[in-house]
């Protein structure tokens, strides 16, 4: 498999992972990440689910990088989601307000750009 084929395969896998981890696997408890109090554990668990998904995708290509990038995903996903969900930041709007959708779109774009960065690192070091 050449680099372009690998990049496309990984992009599709990361898109699937992102959907599965952000929607079907995000249970009611994890939705507590938007709270004013007691938000840390639900957000940490949600970020851990994403990190595990990243690890499972990348372990087949480069086990050492899989671990490093999974930890990076955990930290970066936590930061991006907290910015989006924090009641004093992106979480201060509701779905009837345009800024809510801007914050959600920016959050999703940030996650996808991070995943593209992971793909780049993997391809450079495979």
């Amino acid at each position: 498999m050449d680099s372009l084929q690998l990049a496309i395969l990984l992009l599709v896998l990361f898109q699937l992972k992102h959907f599965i981890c952000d929607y079907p696997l995000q249970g009611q408890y994890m939705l507590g990440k938007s709270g004013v109090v007691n938000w840390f554990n639900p957000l940490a668990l949600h970020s851990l689910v994403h990190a595990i998904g990243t690890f499972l995708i990348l372990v087949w290509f480069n086990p050492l990088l899989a671990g490093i990038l999974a930890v990076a995903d955990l930290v970066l996903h936590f930061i991006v989601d907290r910015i989006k969900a924090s009641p004093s930041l992106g979480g201060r709007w509701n779905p009837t307000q345009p800024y809510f959708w801007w914050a959600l779109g920016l959050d999703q774009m940030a996650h996808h750009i991070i995943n593209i960065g992971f793909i780049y690192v993997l391809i450079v070091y495979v």
Side-chain angles (χ1 to χ4, degrees), residues 9 18 20 25 30 32 40 48 61 71 76 79 107 120 126:
L9 171 63
H18 188 80
I20 291 166
L25 293 181
M30 290 181 212
F40 185 90
L48 179 62
F61 302 99
V71 171
L76 293 170
I79 292 167
D107 165 82
Y120 175 80
V126 162

Side-chain angles (χ1 to χ4, degrees), residues 4 12 18 24 42 55 57-58 62 64 72 75 83 96 105-106 110 114:
L4 179 58
V12 169
H18 188 80
F55 180 81
I57 290 170
L58 298 181
N62 186 321
L64 177 61
V75 171
I83 291 169
T96 65
L106 184 59
I114 290 165

